[in-house]
Amino acid sequence: MNKVLILFAHPRFEKSKTNRALLAGVDKIEGVTLNDLYEQYPDFNIDVEREKNLLLAHEVIIWHHPLYMYSAPAVLKQWMDLVLEYGWAHGSEGNALKDKMVFNVLTAGGARESYAINQHNRFTLREFLVPFEQTATLCKMIYLPPFAVHGTHLLSDQQLAEQARLYRNLLGRLVAGGLPLGSICMYDYLNDWLPAGEG
Amino acid sequence: MSSAFLQDALIYLACAVVFVPIAKKLGMGSVLGYLLGGIIIGPFFLGFIGAEGKDIMHFAEFGVVMMLFLIGLELEPATFWRMRKLILGMGFMQLGATTLLCFAALFWVGFTWQAALACGLAFSMSSTAIVMQTLREKGLTKTESGRSSFAVLIFQDISVIPILALLPLLAASTTQAPSGGHATLMTGLPGWAQTLTLLIAANAVVLIGRFVFVPFLRFIARIRLRELFTAAALLIVIGTAYLMMLVGLSPALGAFLAGLVLATSEFRHELESDIEPFKGILLGLFFIAVGASINFKLIIGNPVQIMALVCGVIAIKSLVLYATGKLSRLSFDQNMIFTLGLGQVGEFAFVLFAFIAQLQILSAPWTDMMMGATAISMTITPLLLLINERLILPRFGTKEALGEKEADVIEGEHPVIIAGFGHFGSTVGRFLRANGISATILDNDSDRVEILRKMGFTVFYGDATRLDILKSAGADRAKILIAAIDSPEINFGLVERIKKEFPDLRLMVRAKSRLDAYDLLDMGIEDIYRESLDTSVRLGVDVLMKLGFRKYSATRAGQNFIKYDEAALRTLAAHRHDQEAYLFNTREQIALQEQLLANDREVFPNVHDDAWDKRAED
């Protein structure tokens, strides 16, 4: 049994159809905590103590955000800079987050195919996420592949509902625990692992 | 202490405690409560107090003395100077025209010209006690009508000095026999000498105030005993009053002068807070005594004459007041409040009539009639104001609600009500409006209401603590009520009412100071907004920037300070009641600051802000 913390960062959540669908009702799932950073810290004045206590109380951390200019919105970077302190999260004595799981959940306007060499975005999504991956590694955490919803402007209601169902399914399995970490990390996206693992 | 004294005290206090809350509940204001209480316990109804009512009246007049001392204290020379045009213009017009018309009317019905003039002067006085108390309770002191009323009252109060000086000149015979009352130094002097004595006495008070009272108070303050300071304050007021009485003058005027002199001294606020409770109780006693002194036998004996006198005086006064208001361009609503508010004959008329009788300008039976008319007119005023507020203004003046508009208010359309649209409430309202949230506004300044309605706001006009107005403004359907009234007392009254009558309505409350915020916390209010906190901190942040701090660091320091201060407010609020009673009110403020500064040193987190910078310590 794991506890899952979603660190959600979206400056215009009220206008994001995709994220509203993904997040609808997730905080009702037992074991899942939703921490809406822009709602909690509209002035970017992050309460470091509160955030540290939240991290300590959860085993799985999710950075949930839209992909803005190939990275996360500003408040999430602010959060990382302030909360993941030297001597607490990293450094020789910084072991507070050791062996916790962490990954990105993100929404992107561009199609999955455009994130490739010789394509429009020139790099793969995993390459853009390297700063997150290395931060996780620095903090001695286990970094999982991202769960990504691509082409958000073109999604039909049905496709969106399917992605939302997958996300909820993922959260349920993270809470349940006992994940085959070794095989999960072979996938590019958690989206790919999920249908395989569902059967 | 005689049992008679205790019995009297019991009756008067019980009368106040029973009738004032009833009057307040009925929305009538405390003055009317005292007056009606006095009538009911008086000799003509229950008869709890009989002939000795007159003595009580003399005692209770001391409430008026204290009130004038306080008015003098509040009236700094600077304020006086700022209002000079209003005071001289409106005051002179009101006093002159009223005296002239009353003189003409009384002369016409057969009084001697001396008596007619003396009565005219007495009738031109309005009741500072009733008007100021009523205006303050209704939160109208800062409106146009409030300022105008204050100006006229001040002019009248000051005029009493020259009027008292003039009256002896009107006396038919210069050597009058004292009517068995207390002999004064002036008794038996010719008119011109009495006038001279009076001017000398007035100047003496000013000089003594400056050169004796202030050093005396400094000496007392050094001893640091609170009750001693209170005793000294009372001594000054009573001493001045006694001195004036000795020379045969109105003690109230002496106190007014003493207050005026002390207004510029450093003890102004302490004197104010020390005398205030005594004034409140004695003034209440005075109103009760006025009610009890109304001679119903006289009224039943001469109903036509008395009623003609009362109606005639009120009519003449109101006519002059309305014209005065019109000339100073008061709007209809403000002018009606001004006119009816000052329409009565005031407590100084008692003083003047007594003096007039003593000088034998007017016969004793007529003096009784005049005093009776004065007392009745004082009782009628709060009733007239009530009728004006409930019946006249809603129909002919600024409407409480816009009739057709009210029907249009669809449920949930205006989720927010703003009570009080002064500098605080209006900023909130403009911000909300800029974001497409229309709020319903409650305000009691008719001029402001007019303008807001022209701009298309939904505005309800009237006393925001009244249940019917709150209901018609939609307090039972709205989500949030913003209590932004300038006067903390009225704002607290509103908060209490809302908590009781509309428990589901979310309250967001303006607090003028940290102490107000503590009181609100005690009342169980969560959303408290201290009006100076954010602005002061923002200024502090700007200072840091000007001193070369990086702007983001300064901004963060400001954010942290506000967060810390809000938390400290809540922890320190709990400890507040542990403290012993403070020497002075202002001392409490200072002790509070000391406590805050000590707390800052211990727990304020900003000094340790090493965000982004942990490694630099190595």
Side-chain angles (χ1 to χ4, degrees), chain A residues 43-45 47 78 81-82 85-86 90, chain B residues 552 556 559-560 563 611-612 614-615 618:
Chain A
D43 55 0
F44 275 52
N45 191 14
D47 184 341
Q78 178 97 335
D81 296 347
L82 286 171
E85 277 180 352
Y86 171 78
H90 60 100
Chain B
Y552 187 63
R556 254 178 82 78
Q559 288 172 340
N560 283 340
K563 208 158 85 181
W612 294 282
K614 265 265 152 163
R615 240 183 249 250
D618 301 340

PDB file of all heavy atoms in Angstrom, chain A residues 43-45 47 78 81-82 85-86 90, chain B residues 552 556 559-560 563 611-612 614-615 618:
ATOM      1  N   ASP A  43       1.342  33.462  -4.721  1.00  0.00           N
ATOM      2  CA  ASP A  43       2.403  34.472  -4.651  1.00  0.00           C
ATOM      3  C   ASP A  43       3.791  33.838  -4.737  1.00  0.00           C
ATOM      4  O   ASP A  43       4.797  34.487  -4.477  1.00  0.00           O
ATOM      5  CB  ASP A  43       2.282  35.275  -3.352  1.00  0.00           C
ATOM      6  CG  ASP A  43       2.278  34.378  -2.116  1.00  0.00           C
ATOM      7  OD1 ASP A  43       2.381  33.125  -2.289  1.00  0.00           O
ATOM      8  OD2 ASP A  43       2.167  34.902  -0.998  1.00  0.00           O
ATOM      9  N   PHE A  44       3.867  32.560  -5.105  1.00  0.00           N
ATOM     10  CA  PHE A  44       5.138  31.838  -5.261  1.00  0.00           C
ATOM     11  C   PHE A  44       5.919  31.718  -3.953  1.00  0.00           C
ATOM     12  O   PHE A  44       7.084  31.349  -3.967  1.00  0.00           O
ATOM     13  CB  PHE A  44       6.040  32.508  -6.332  1.00  0.00           C
ATOM     14  CG  PHE A  44       5.721  32.045  -7.720  1.00  0.00           C
ATOM     15  CD1 PHE A  44       4.418  32.083  -8.196  1.00  0.00           C
ATOM     16  CD2 PHE A  44       6.712  31.552  -8.549  1.00  0.00           C
ATOM     17  CE1 PHE A  44       4.114  31.642  -9.477  1.00  0.00           C
ATOM     18  CE2 PHE A  44       6.423  31.109  -9.830  1.00  0.00           C
ATOM     19  CZ  PHE A  44       5.122  31.157 -10.292  1.00  0.00           C
ATOM     20  N   ASN A  45       5.280  32.045  -2.862  1.00  0.00           N
ATOM     21  CA  ASN A  45       5.984  31.995  -1.575  1.00  0.00           C
ATOM     22  C   ASN A  45       5.761  30.612  -0.957  1.00  0.00           C
ATOM     23  O   ASN A  45       4.868  30.411  -0.145  1.00  0.00           O
ATOM     24  CB  ASN A  45       5.465  33.107  -0.670  1.00  0.00           C
ATOM     25  CG  ASN A  45       6.327  33.284   0.564  1.00  0.00           C
ATOM     26  OD1 ASN A  45       7.431  32.761   0.627  1.00  0.00           O
ATOM     27  ND2 ASN A  45       5.810  33.998   1.537  1.00  0.00           N
ATOM     28  N   ASP A  47       5.775  27.325   1.116  1.00  0.00           N
ATOM     29  CA  ASP A  47       5.965  26.967   2.514  1.00  0.00           C
ATOM     30  C   ASP A  47       6.784  25.676   2.560  1.00  0.00           C
ATOM     31  O   ASP A  47       6.268  24.576   2.427  1.00  0.00           O
ATOM     32  CB  ASP A  47       4.591  26.783   3.173  1.00  0.00           C
ATOM     33  CG  ASP A  47       4.706  26.495   4.666  1.00  0.00           C
ATOM     34  OD1 ASP A  47       5.797  26.090   5.118  1.00  0.00           O
ATOM     35  OD2 ASP A  47       3.685  26.659   5.356  1.00  0.00           O
ATOM     36  N   GLN A  78      10.164  26.584  -9.059  1.00  0.00           N
ATOM     37  CA  GLN A  78      10.314  27.266  -7.765  1.00  0.00           C
ATOM     38  C   GLN A  78      10.237  26.233  -6.640  1.00  0.00           C
ATOM     39  O   GLN A  78      11.023  26.246  -5.702  1.00  0.00           O
ATOM     40  CB  GLN A  78       9.199  28.320  -7.615  1.00  0.00           C
ATOM     41  CG  GLN A  78       9.197  29.066  -6.298  1.00  0.00           C
ATOM     42  CD  GLN A  78       9.909  30.413  -6.380  1.00  0.00           C
ATOM     43  OE1 GLN A  78      10.770  30.598  -7.242  1.00  0.00           O
ATOM     44  NE2 GLN A  78       9.576  31.332  -5.499  1.00  0.00           N
ATOM     45  N   ASP A  81      13.420  24.142  -6.572  1.00  0.00           N
ATOM     46  CA  ASP A  81      14.572  24.899  -6.076  1.00  0.00           C
ATOM     47  C   ASP A  81      14.519  25.103  -4.566  1.00  0.00           C
ATOM     48  O   ASP A  81      15.555  25.104  -3.897  1.00  0.00           O
ATOM     49  CB  ASP A  81      14.637  26.272  -6.763  1.00  0.00           C
ATOM     50  CG  ASP A  81      14.865  26.146  -8.253  1.00  0.00           C
ATOM     51  OD1 ASP A  81      15.216  25.030  -8.699  1.00  0.00           O
ATOM     52  OD2 ASP A  81      14.676  27.137  -8.971  1.00  0.00           O
ATOM     53  N   LEU A  82      13.298  25.295  -4.039  1.00  0.00           N
ATOM     54  CA  LEU A  82      13.182  25.625  -2.621  1.00  0.00           C
ATOM     55  C   LEU A  82      13.071  24.401  -1.720  1.00  0.00           C
ATOM     56  O   LEU A  82      13.618  24.373  -0.625  1.00  0.00           O
ATOM     57  CB  LEU A  82      11.966  26.527  -2.397  1.00  0.00           C
ATOM     58  CG  LEU A  82      12.141  27.976  -2.853  1.00  0.00           C
ATOM     59  CD1 LEU A  82      10.818  28.714  -2.789  1.00  0.00           C
ATOM     60  CD2 LEU A  82      13.179  28.678  -1.997  1.00  0.00           C
ATOM     61  N   GLU A  85      16.105  20.649  -0.742  1.00  0.00           N
ATOM     62  CA  GLU A  85      17.284  21.317  -0.183  1.00  0.00           C
ATOM     63  C   GLU A  85      18.490  20.383  -0.048  1.00  0.00           C
ATOM     64  O   GLU A  85      18.342  19.196   0.219  1.00  0.00           O
ATOM     65  CB  GLU A  85      16.942  21.846   1.221  1.00  0.00           C
ATOM     66  CG  GLU A  85      16.243  23.171   1.208  1.00  0.00           C
ATOM     67  CD  GLU A  85      15.917  23.646   2.614  1.00  0.00           C
ATOM     68  OE1 GLU A  85      16.103  22.870   3.568  1.00  0.00           O
ATOM     69  OE2 GLU A  85      15.471  24.795   2.740  1.00  0.00           O
ATOM     70  N   TYR A  86      19.625  21.025  -0.177  1.00  0.00           N
ATOM     71  CA  TYR A  86      20.870  20.304   0.105  1.00  0.00           C
ATOM     72  C   TYR A  86      20.886  19.932   1.586  1.00  0.00           C
ATOM     73  O   TYR A  86      20.496  20.702   2.444  1.00  0.00           O
ATOM     74  CB  TYR A  86      22.067  21.207  -0.231  1.00  0.00           C
ATOM     75  CG  TYR A  86      23.392  20.650   0.228  1.00  0.00           C
ATOM     76  CD1 TYR A  86      24.019  19.630  -0.504  1.00  0.00           C
ATOM     77  CD2 TYR A  86      24.003  21.110   1.391  1.00  0.00           C
ATOM     78  CE1 TYR A  86      25.201  19.103  -0.081  1.00  0.00           C
ATOM     79  CE2 TYR A  86      25.209  20.583   1.822  1.00  0.00           C
ATOM     80  CZ  TYR A  86      25.810  19.567   1.077  1.00  0.00           C
ATOM     81  OH  TYR A  86      26.994  19.040   1.497  1.00  0.00           O
ATOM     82  N   HIS A  90      19.286  16.019  -0.935  1.00  0.00           N
ATOM     83  CA  HIS A  90      20.500  15.537  -1.589  1.00  0.00           C
ATOM     84  C   HIS A  90      21.723  15.933  -0.776  1.00  0.00           C
ATOM     85  O   HIS A  90      21.587  16.598   0.258  1.00  0.00           O
ATOM     86  CB  HIS A  90      20.586  16.035  -3.041  1.00  0.00           C
ATOM     87  CG  HIS A  90      20.596  17.527  -3.177  1.00  0.00           C
ATOM     88  ND1 HIS A  90      21.724  18.255  -3.372  1.00  0.00           N
ATOM     89  CD2 HIS A  90      19.587  18.428  -3.144  1.00  0.00           C
ATOM     90  CE1 HIS A  90      21.429  19.529  -3.465  1.00  0.00           C
ATOM     91  NE2 HIS A  90      20.122  19.664  -3.334  1.00  0.00           N
TER      92      HIS A  90
ATOM     93  N   TYR B 552      13.414  41.128  -5.515  1.00  0.00           N
ATOM     94  CA  TYR B 552      12.730  39.879  -5.192  1.00  0.00           C
ATOM     95  C   TYR B 552      12.960  39.484  -3.736  1.00  0.00           C
ATOM     96  O   TYR B 552      12.040  39.038  -3.062  1.00  0.00           O
ATOM     97  CB  TYR B 552      13.174  38.749  -6.132  1.00  0.00           C
ATOM     98  CG  TYR B 552      12.347  37.504  -5.917  1.00  0.00           C
ATOM     99  CD1 TYR B 552      10.973  37.534  -6.170  1.00  0.00           C
ATOM    100  CD2 TYR B 552      12.895  36.335  -5.417  1.00  0.00           C
ATOM    101  CE1 TYR B 552      10.176  36.426  -5.941  1.00  0.00           C
ATOM    102  CE2 TYR B 552      12.116  35.220  -5.186  1.00  0.00           C
ATOM    103  CZ  TYR B 552      10.761  35.271  -5.462  1.00  0.00           C
ATOM    104  OH  TYR B 552       9.971  34.181  -5.222  1.00  0.00           O
ATOM    105  N   ARG B 556       9.995  38.991  -1.066  1.00  0.00           N
ATOM    106  CA  ARG B 556       9.851  37.774  -0.255  1.00  0.00           C
ATOM    107  C   ARG B 556       9.816  38.093   1.233  1.00  0.00           C
ATOM    108  O   ARG B 556       9.030  37.530   1.986  1.00  0.00           O
ATOM    109  CB  ARG B 556      11.031  36.826  -0.525  1.00  0.00           C
ATOM    110  CG  ARG B 556      10.684  35.637  -1.365  1.00  0.00           C
ATOM    111  CD  ARG B 556      11.913  34.801  -1.608  1.00  0.00           C
ATOM    112  NE  ARG B 556      12.209  33.911  -0.484  1.00  0.00           N
ATOM    113  CZ  ARG B 556      11.573  32.767  -0.237  1.00  0.00           C
ATOM    114  NH1 ARG B 556      10.590  32.387  -1.027  1.00  0.00           N
ATOM    115  NH2 ARG B 556      11.901  32.014   0.776  1.00  0.00           N
ATOM    116  N   GLN B 559       6.392  39.268   1.982  1.00  0.00           N
ATOM    117  CA  GLN B 559       5.440  38.142   2.015  1.00  0.00           C
ATOM    118  C   GLN B 559       5.562  37.375   3.324  1.00  0.00           C
ATOM    119  O   GLN B 559       4.564  37.055   3.970  1.00  0.00           O
ATOM    120  CB  GLN B 559       5.712  37.195   0.845  1.00  0.00           C
ATOM    121  CG  GLN B 559       5.327  37.733  -0.510  1.00  0.00           C
ATOM    122  CD  GLN B 559       5.810  36.821  -1.633  1.00  0.00           C
ATOM    123  OE1 GLN B 559       6.723  36.015  -1.456  1.00  0.00           O
ATOM    124  NE2 GLN B 559       5.184  36.948  -2.788  1.00  0.00           N
ATOM    125  N   ASN B 560       6.797  37.082   3.700  1.00  0.00           N
ATOM    126  CA  ASN B 560       7.005  36.308   4.921  1.00  0.00           C
ATOM    127  C   ASN B 560       6.545  37.069   6.150  1.00  0.00           C
ATOM    128  O   ASN B 560       6.014  36.486   7.084  1.00  0.00           O
ATOM    129  CB  ASN B 560       8.485  35.941   5.079  1.00  0.00           C
ATOM    130  CG  ASN B 560       8.856  34.803   4.152  1.00  0.00           C
ATOM    131  OD1 ASN B 560       7.978  34.069   3.700  1.00  0.00           O
ATOM    132  ND2 ASN B 560      10.127  34.675   3.834  1.00  0.00           N
ATOM    133  N   LYS B 563       2.801  36.892   6.482  1.00  0.00           N
ATOM    134  CA  LYS B 563       2.411  35.548   6.906  1.00  0.00           C
ATOM    135  C   LYS B 563       2.679  35.359   8.408  1.00  0.00           C
ATOM    136  O   LYS B 563       1.837  34.890   9.164  1.00  0.00           O
ATOM    137  CB  LYS B 563       3.208  34.512   6.104  1.00  0.00           C
ATOM    138  CG  LYS B 563       2.505  33.203   5.926  1.00  0.00           C
ATOM    139  CD  LYS B 563       3.050  32.447   4.736  1.00  0.00           C
ATOM    140  CE  LYS B 563       4.273  31.658   5.120  1.00  0.00           C
ATOM    141  NZ  LYS B 563       4.842  30.938   3.978  1.00  0.00           N
ATOM    142  N   ALA B 611      16.833  30.236   1.522  1.00  0.00           N
ATOM    143  CA  ALA B 611      16.344  29.543   0.354  1.00  0.00           C
ATOM    144  C   ALA B 611      17.304  29.771  -0.813  1.00  0.00           C
ATOM    145  O   ALA B 611      17.882  30.850  -0.931  1.00  0.00           O
ATOM    146  CB  ALA B 611      14.959  30.070  -0.005  1.00  0.00           C
ATOM    147  N   TRP B 612      17.471  28.784  -1.650  1.00  0.00           N
ATOM    148  CA  TRP B 612      18.369  28.777  -2.824  1.00  0.00           C
ATOM    149  C   TRP B 612      19.848  28.808  -2.422  1.00  0.00           C
ATOM    150  O   TRP B 612      20.708  28.881  -3.252  1.00  0.00           O
ATOM    151  CB  TRP B 612      18.120  29.991  -3.752  1.00  0.00           C
ATOM    152  CG  TRP B 612      16.801  30.024  -4.421  1.00  0.00           C
ATOM    153  CD1 TRP B 612      16.427  29.302  -5.509  1.00  0.00           C
ATOM    154  CD2 TRP B 612      15.684  30.821  -4.064  1.00  0.00           C
ATOM    155  NE1 TRP B 612      15.147  29.578  -5.839  1.00  0.00           N
ATOM    156  CE2 TRP B 612      14.666  30.497  -4.979  1.00  0.00           C
ATOM    157  CE3 TRP B 612      15.438  31.734  -3.063  1.00  0.00           C
ATOM    158  CZ2 TRP B 612      13.407  31.087  -4.914  1.00  0.00           C
ATOM    159  CZ3 TRP B 612      14.198  32.321  -3.020  1.00  0.00           C
ATOM    160  CH2 TRP B 612      13.191  32.008  -3.922  1.00  0.00           C
ATOM    161  N   LYS B 614      21.512  27.123   0.457  1.00  0.00           N
ATOM    162  CA  LYS B 614      21.935  26.239   1.550  1.00  0.00           C
ATOM    163  C   LYS B 614      23.437  25.971   1.521  1.00  0.00           C
ATOM    164  O   LYS B 614      24.098  25.949   2.526  1.00  0.00           O
ATOM    165  CB  LYS B 614      21.183  24.907   1.432  1.00  0.00           C
ATOM    166  CG  LYS B 614      19.938  24.890   2.288  1.00  0.00           C
ATOM    167  CD  LYS B 614      20.225  24.258   3.616  1.00  0.00           C
ATOM    168  CE  LYS B 614      19.294  24.819   4.651  1.00  0.00           C
ATOM    169  NZ  LYS B 614      19.226  24.014   5.857  1.00  0.00           N
ATOM    170  N   ARG B 615      23.936  25.774   0.300  1.00  0.00           N
ATOM    171  CA  ARG B 615      25.309  25.307   0.201  1.00  0.00           C
ATOM    172  C   ARG B 615      26.310  26.412   0.528  1.00  0.00           C
ATOM    173  O   ARG B 615      27.434  26.142   0.916  1.00  0.00           O
ATOM    174  CB  ARG B 615      25.582  24.804  -1.215  1.00  0.00           C
ATOM    175  CG  ARG B 615      25.997  23.361  -1.257  1.00  0.00           C
ATOM    176  CD  ARG B 615      26.312  23.032  -2.693  1.00  0.00           C
ATOM    177  NE  ARG B 615      25.296  22.121  -3.229  1.00  0.00           N
ATOM    178  CZ  ARG B 615      25.586  20.865  -3.493  1.00  0.00           C
ATOM    179  NH1 ARG B 615      26.763  20.381  -3.252  1.00  0.00           N
ATOM    180  NH2 ARG B 615      24.678  20.085  -4.012  1.00  0.00           N
ATOM    181  N   ASP B 618      28.450  26.367   3.585  1.00  0.00           N
ATOM    182  CA  ASP B 618      29.619  25.482   3.758  1.00  0.00           C
ATOM    183  C   ASP B 618      30.924  26.235   3.545  1.00  0.00           C
ATOM    184  O   ASP B 618      30.994  27.134   2.746  1.00  0.00           O
ATOM    185  CB  ASP B 618      29.554  24.323   2.743  1.00  0.00           C
ATOM    186  CG  ASP B 618      28.289  23.526   2.942  1.00  0.00           C
ATOM    187  OD1 ASP B 618      27.705  23.632   4.038  1.00  0.00           O
ATOM    188  OD2 ASP B 618      27.871  22.831   1.995  1.00  0.00           O
TER     189      ASP B 618
END
